[in-house]
Amino acid sequence: MNHHLASDEISRATLRAEAVIDLDAISANVSRLHAHVQSRDVLAVVKADGYGHGIIESARAARAGGASWLGVALIDEALQLREAGDTDPILSWLAVPGERYAEGIAAGVELAAYSVSQLDEIALAARQVGRRAGIHLKFDSGLGRGGATPDEWGRVVEAAAAAQEAGAIEVTGVFSHLACADEPEHPSVKAQALEFEVGIGQALEAGLEPKHLHLANSPATLALPDTWLTMVRPGIAIYGVSPFADGQSPVLLQPAMTLRARLALVKRVPAGQGISYGHTFTTTRETTLGLVPLGYADGVPRHASNQGEVLVRGQRFRTVGRVCMDQFVIDLGDAEGAAGDPVVIFGDPSRGEPSAADWAVAADTIGYEIVTRVGPRVPRSYVGALA
Ligand SMILES: Cc1ncc(COP(=O)(O)O)c(C=O)c1O
């Protein structure tokens, strides 16, 4: 059931379009990944509203599938999970100075720390709250994004050891993030793993005893056993979307989200009809057009104009003309179709439906962006045992 809407509003709201989320698929994906990594800890990444699937529902499904940890970017997201009743380990890894550290610590949320100044700020908040902050130190082994560089790392681990000694924090984890795990043969993967080993060694030398060592995102969880260490951090894979460009996966991943709508209008037009803004498509013969009431405000990428395909009455049809803010047009040719017909924009390719990966190719992006960007105007509904 959609948690944003009163029950009498559901059928009206979902008349136009909805994203149906199969929570059993999320549980099953987590459970298969857990078995694949030989029962190491799984931290299921549920940031960004569970990659568009609903943070609370995705978290429940991931826990049911065996995720002992949840991962989020923001402390606000972690607090949302706590408010919904999740009491198990959560790691939050993206913060700015002045962050709500005290609230996070009071709620038992573990925090990533990237720098000495951040450690100072967290230690101060911990003293104010009167509770040790659980810390995962973030090492930049080569991604060149967040985390302490190898140059800074020595100072960070020394500061962390001192704050731990003083009773303000406890370093429970050390982690890093890979740049190119979706290309498993990329030389940076091995280089980062080696650099991370050195960083872990320095943390141990400083007297830290981090229980959780983690490096693997979805592609590494799927394809790079050397990166599994004590815990893996899959995000996109738990939602059933492959992180690889070819859409393949060595572990069966069931897509959790189906984006569907109903045709708003079906009409016959003559040859020579320009379609949608800019007339980037013109019919070459008499044809039937279907109007899909979803647009870029709902997450259908404008870049997929004249490319993306949908399923109507068991057949695939292509987008013609530009995707607009609220709607786009498909060319039904001479196929039967009527206003009100169900349209699947993407879902499970094993049912013949286009996949999020297909739309990613059409829009020259990645499946992550296709599912995560489904907008707030699209009601989510949930199916499966936990719905
Ligand atoms: C630190 C960290 N770990 C894990 C993930 C999960 O990545 P993926 O969705 O590729 O599994 C992310 C997501 O960007 C992340 O930022």
Side-chain angles (χ1 to χ4, degrees):
M1 284 290 137
N2 191 294
H3 61 286
H4 301 304
L5 298 169
S7 58
D8 61 338
E9 289 177 321
I10 288 171
S11 53
R12 229 175 337 113
T14 57
L15 258 182
R16 174 184 74 111
E18 64 179 340
V20 182
I21 317 296
D22 182 349
L23 296 178
D24 287 350
I26 296 177
S27 298
N29 292 331
V30 171
S31 165
R32 277 190 222 101
L33 292 168
H34 191 215
H36 179 67
V37 298
Q38 296 158 357
S39 297
R40 285 169 173 79
D41 284 335
V42 173
L43 177 151
V45 183
V46 296
K47 63 192 168 92
D49 201 24
Y51 289 42
H53 296 67
I55 184 169
I56 305 301
E57 294 81 359
S58 301
R60 266 196 295 135
R63 291 287 195 205
S68 46
W69 283 76
L70 297 175
V72 290
L74 313 180
I75 292 178
D76 285 356
E77 294 174 314
L79 293 173
Q80 235 184 305
L81 291 165
R82 287 289 186 246
E83 275 157 30
D86 192 294
T87 54
D88 286 330
I90 299 177
L91 174 63
S92 161
W93 56 66
L94 187 63
V96 294
E99 199 61 69
R100 298 164 73 185
Y101 289 126
E103 283 169 79
I105 296 163
V109 173
E110 303 216 1
L111 304 168
Y114 296 8
S115 66
V116 174
S117 64
Q118 191 182 10
L119 278 168
D120 289 345
E121 202 180 338
I122 293 172
L124 183 64
R127 280 187 212 102
Q128 284 163 354
V129 172
R131 180 172 175 170
R132 264 180 197 260
I135 298 293
H136 293 229
L137 297 175
K138 174 86 184 278
F139 179 65
D140 183 358
S141 58
L143 173 62
R145 198 178 71 176
T149 62
D151 271 359
E152 299 157 336
W153 185 243
R155 285 189 293 282
V156 169
V157 294
E158 289 301 335
Q164 180 164 293
E165 187 66 28
I169 68 165
E170 182 182 357
V171 176
T172 58
V174 172
F175 75 114
S176 190
H177 197 40
L178 293 166
C180 305
D182 56 332
E183 300 167 57
E185 305 299 324
H186 196 285
S188 68
V189 173
K190 208 156 253 158
Q192 282 198 256
L194 289 173
E195 192 70 44
F196 188 36
E197 248 177 63
V198 174
I200 292 169
Q202 281 176 270
L204 299 179
E205 275 167 34
L208 299 172
E209 294 174 339
K211 194 170 154 222
H212 307 289
L213 303 174
H214 45 114
L215 177 62
N217 55 0
S218 290
T221 301
L222 291 167
L224 294 164
D226 287 349
T227 66
W228 292 345
L229 307 178
T230 74
M231 179 157 86
V232 294
R233 298 190 311 267
I236 196 69
I238 78 167
Y239 305 102
V241 177
S242 167
F244 300 113
D246 64 4
Q248 298 298 305
S249 167
V251 175
L252 175 67
L253 301 176
Q254 264 171 273
M257 184 189 289
T258 302
L259 179 62
R260 64 187 191 197
R262 294 168 72 229
L263 288 179
L265 175 73
V266 170
K267 66 183 180 189
R268 197 78 182 153
V269 296
Q273 173 72 58
I275 307 292
S276 190
Y277 294 128
H279 279 181
T280 60
F281 180 86
T282 302
T283 57
T284 53
R285 62 184 187 91
E286 187 181 314
T287 192
T288 300
L289 302 179
L291 185 65
V292 182
L294 283 170
Y296 59 76
D298 304 297
V300 177
R302 187 170 178 276
H303 273 95
S305 297
N306 289 305
Q307 298 289 335
E309 287 187 353
V310 302
L311 194 78
V312 182
R313 298 192 186 195
Q315 261 184 281
R316 297 270 197 117
F317 298 100
R318 197 165 54 88
T319 307
V320 285
R322 285 209 177 117
V323 172
C324 310
M325 188 182 290
D326 317 297
Q327 49 195 305
F328 65 93
V329 177
I330 54 172
D331 186 357
L332 292 165
D334 293 327
E336 294 285 318
D341 275 0
V343 187
V344 176
I345 291 78
F346 62 81
D348 190 342
S350 76
R351 296 191 296 248
E353 297 161 355
S355 64
D358 293 336
W359 275 86
V361 170
D364 193 19
T365 182
I366 51 177
Y368 297 65
E369 194 175 355
I370 300 297
V371 291
T372 305
R373 282 206 159 173
V374 172
R377 198 167 65 169
V378 179
R380 270 62 167 174
S381 64
Y382 293 91
V383 297
L386 291 169

